[in-house]
Amino acid sequence: MTPEKAYEELLTRMKELALLGNTAGVLGWDQEVYMPGAGAPYRADQLSLLAGLCHQKFTDPQVGGLIDQALAAPGDPLGDKAVNLREWKRSYERSKKLPQSLVEEMARTTSNAQVEWVEARKAKDFKRFQPWLEKIIALTQQQAECYGYEKSPYDALLEDYEPGLTSAQLDQLFPPLKKRLSALVAKITSAPKQPDLSILKRACPIPLQQAFCRRLAEAIGFDFNRGRIDVSAHPFTTGLGPGDTRITTRFEETNFENSFFSTLHEGGHGLYDQGLPSDGHYGTPRASAVSLGIHESQSRLWENLVGRGLPFWKFAFPELKKTFPGVFDDLSLEAFHFAINHSSPSFIRTESDEVTYNLHVALRYDIEVALITGKLKAADVPEAWNKAMKESFGITPPDDSKGCLQDVHWSHGSFGYFPTYTLGNLYSAQFFAAAAREAGPFEPKFEKGDFLPLKKWLNEKIHAEGQRYLAGDLCEKVTGKPLTSDFFLDYLEKKFGALYGV
């Protein structure tokens, strides 16, 4: 078979795999949004079957042979064909190390665990989720051993989310980042100027929140002809095929910030998925996100650098008052803007502010590494969590729902995911600075509700590239510099220094 014919055969097979994967995705989305709890066992069997089929088809020795044959004439290293072959080869070599039985058991276990996590979180009872966490940790440790690693089993898991990243690199990244963030937290905490947070405690009817959130997503460019927004216990975004991107949020009547900023966050993820190449590329690496860190950069950019900025609210604040008649009439824009940018220790990562957010991520990273390396048992997670919260934030969660049960990721088996949140913050600030230099200034446009120039820049510079570049290479190409925490920390110190007068 010629290299050209081998490549065509691979395209056919991979697009079929994408169909299967998206079918599983629809079932997973339905489980978190609509499925009744009693359907969990059968749904677990469905997802296990599909995961096994996908794994079997992808790790077929014929696929490996086709990749090797096609690599005989890959072409331009950054061309579509070479990029696809490079990523298929990497994924194939990794995936074939996992037994199909392990893949199926992980899919079955995590499907059931997600339902139990929801109920345990409602009941504020970690012990209800503990047996499932123990099973997931054991399966995840098996995965790490199958993959292999040089120094830490956690490195084998990071590869799924941020290829090339190691725990040794994270151990170098987090300490200085925590030190500079902690110094800023201390300045903010002792600042004489503080926002009045009581002004945010207002009852906002959920149907009106839903309408406003939809308008926010539309304003930044989310295309509802190719997507939708729903409600889930933990906000998420999933792409289910060309023209089908789903985002979710959650609502509390007296905590409108939760839904507003979750919508902007997931909307940023959705814009990335909607901006990826589709025609002729769907189902290939050229139509896939670079890494979870890059994906997270898009959500954090829209949520924080845009959505918590004063120019954004000069546009959105009148709309807010119009949507909720009488609720915000007594508020000034300045007081509202200061309040939504408050910084103080908090229990919930997804509701934390820009300054303390990465301290939450660092806490989870430490616990994850301890669990995967066997230094911490699942039964001891609540105690370890509460101790770390006290040390990092000076507060202790009142219950497990505000502590170790707050995030859905462990029920998914997503160990190695959390560090990408911090990488996303760093990338977001560096990308936004580059966009402002090349396509800005954005402030006058944002004040008028015009977010198209920024969206267009992101579409062209980041989304349209798919996996053409590795994450670090993409960052350097787009910004002219390797990833650094300087842009992010400078942004925080400038913004919060001005707000708090420190």
Side-chain angles (χ1 to χ4, degrees):
M1 185 181 292
T2 66
E4 291 72 25
K5 286 200 173 293
Y7 183 69
E8 289 302 316
E9 175 65 18
L10 280 169
L11 283 174
T12 299
R13 290 182 179 230
M14 296 305 173
K15 290 185 178 184
E16 182 182 89
L17 275 169
L19 286 170
L20 276 174
N22 287 335
T23 301
V26 173
L27 291 175
W29 172 85
D30 173 74
Q31 176 171 314
E32 297 205 45
V33 176
Y34 286 124
M35 188 192 80
Y42 190 66
R43 180 57 49 87
D45 289 341
Q46 292 173 314
L47 290 170
S48 175
L49 174 64
L50 287 169
L53 282 172
C54 288
H55 183 74
Q56 183 182 53
K57 285 179 173 292
F58 185 57
T59 57
D60 184 333
Q62 288 187 2
V63 170
L66 289 168
I67 292 173
D68 289 338
Q69 286 176 299
L71 280 169
D76 177 4
L78 293 177
D80 294 345
K81 180 180 176 182
V83 168
N84 289 337
L85 288 171
R86 180 194 74 208
E87 292 302 314
W88 284 335
K89 178 74 171 177
R90 185 182 69 82
S91 297
Y92 174 80
E93 293 297 331
R94 183 169 171 80
S95 296
K96 73 178 184 179
K97 295 177 180 178
L98 296 181
Q100 184 171 334
S101 59
L102 178 56
V103 173
E104 291 175 350
E105 183 58 26
M106 178 62 92
R108 182 180 295 106
T109 300
T110 54
S111 181
N112 281 312
Q114 287 169 43
V115 177
E116 288 301 314
W117 168 79
V118 170
E119 295 306 315
R121 185 170 178 268
K122 286 179 183 176
K124 304 176 183 179
D125 182 12
F126 175 79
K127 288 189 180 299
R128 178 166 180 169
F129 180 61
Q130 181 185 322
W132 292 99
L133 181 58
E134 289 171 344
K135 291 178 184 179
I136 290 170
I137 290 169
L139 291 170
T140 302
Q141 289 169 331
Q142 289 181 48
Q143 285 183 330
E145 293 303 319
C146 290
Y147 287 139
Y149 51 87
E150 290 186 10
K151 294 183 179 179
S152 171
Y154 197 77
D155 294 346
L157 308 176
L158 285 169
E159 188 70 17
D160 275 338
Y161 307 103
E162 203 70 21
L165 184 67
T166 67
S167 51
Q169 291 172 310
L170 291 172
D171 290 340
Q172 293 293 314
L173 170 69
F174 276 119
L177 185 63
K178 287 167 65 176
K179 183 178 180 180
R180 197 163 158 187
L181 288 173
S182 296
L184 181 56
V185 169
K187 288 182 180 180
I188 290 171
T189 303
S190 61
K193 182 183 178 185
Q194 296 288 332
D196 179 4
L197 301 187
S198 67
I199 66 174
L200 300 179
K201 302 299 180 184
R202 299 174 184 233
C204 297
I206 288 176
L208 296 183
Q209 286 192 50
Q210 291 173 318
F212 188 70
C213 285
R214 184 182 175 95
R215 286 204 291 277
L216 289 183
E218 287 177 328
I220 66 172
F222 186 78
D223 184 355
F224 279 96
N225 290 319
R226 299 188 296 139
R228 57 180 291 132
I229 183 170
D230 292 277
V231 179
S232 65
H234 189 102
F236 69 96
T237 299
T238 186
L240 300 177
D244 190 357
T245 298
R246 314 284 178 96
I247 65 176
T248 71
T249 189
R250 59 188 176 199
F251 297 94
E252 296 176 54
E253 187 165 294
T254 57
N255 184 9
F256 64 86
E257 284 184 279
N258 195 348
S259 64
F260 291 3
F261 292 108
S262 289
T263 297
L264 287 172
H265 181 99
E266 300 306 332
H269 280 306
L271 291 181
Y272 192 173
D273 281 1
Q274 290 184 341
L276 289 166
S278 55
D279 295 343
H281 289 293
Y282 196 84
T284 75
R286 272 288 287 114
S288 302
V290 181
S291 71
L292 264 295
I294 298 295
H295 219 311
E296 189 64 17
S297 76
Q298 303 305 282
S299 60
R300 296 297 282 177
L301 186 153
W302 286 103
E303 176 191 359
N304 292 324
L305 285 98
V306 176
R308 292 186 191 272
L310 187 59
F312 178 89
W313 285 102
K314 284 184 177 179
F315 153 72
F317 197 55
E319 292 296 315
L320 181 74
K321 288 188 172 184
K322 189 186 304 181
T323 303
F324 302 94
V327 177
F328 296 99
D329 288 355
D330 62 315
L331 281 188
S332 69
L333 172 59
E334 292 70 22
F336 176 82
H337 177 250
F338 193 11
I340 63 170
N341 282 288
H342 62 272
S343 177
S344 60
S346 60
F347 298 115
I348 305 296
R349 174 187 63 86
T350 57
E351 298 172 15
S352 64
D353 58 82
E354 293 178 87
V355 179
T356 62
Y357 184 94
N358 293 292
L359 299 176
H360 284 270
V361 177
L363 181 154
R364 286 158 180 76
Y365 166 67
D366 290 340
I367 289 178
E368 280 199 354
V369 172
L371 286 170
I372 297 303
T373 57
K375 294 178 181 178
L376 179 68
K377 295 184 183 300
D380 298 327
V381 165
E383 182 182 354
W385 186 287
N386 292 348
K387 181 181 178 182
M389 283 293 294
K390 184 68 174 176
E391 291 174 351
S392 295
F393 297 94
I395 55 178
T396 301
D399 55 60
D400 293 337
S401 70
K402 291 186 180 294
C404 59
L405 283 177
Q406 63 182 266
D407 284 306
V408 72
H409 302 64
W410 290 345
S411 73
H412 288 166
S414 301
F415 285 86
Y417 190 124
F418 272 113
T420 66
Y421 286 125
T422 287
L423 293 177
N425 281 320
L426 305 188
Y427 281 126
S428 70
Q430 198 159 331
F431 287 150
F432 191 73
R437 287 195 307 269
E438 296 179 15
F442 292 129
E443 288 80 0
K445 298 181 177 69
F446 290 173
E447 290 174 9
K448 297 176 182 177
D450 181 8
F451 304 99
L452 182 60
L454 175 58
K455 177 179 177 290
K456 184 173 183 290
W457 188 91
L458 294 169
N459 285 155
E460 294 173 354
K461 300 288 186 175
I462 296 171
H463 309 164
E465 297 290 4
Q467 289 186 342
R468 191 190 306 277
Y469 302 97
L470 299 178
D473 296 335
L474 177 67
C475 178
E476 191 156 1
K477 179 180 185 295
V478 170
T479 70
K481 294 183 177 182
L483 178 64
T484 171
S485 61
D486 290 344
F487 288 94
F488 177 68
L489 291 167
D490 290 348
Y491 153 74
L492 287 183
E493 289 168 351
K494 179 180 179 182
K495 174 179 177 177
F496 286 87
L499 284 169
Y500 282 87
V502 295

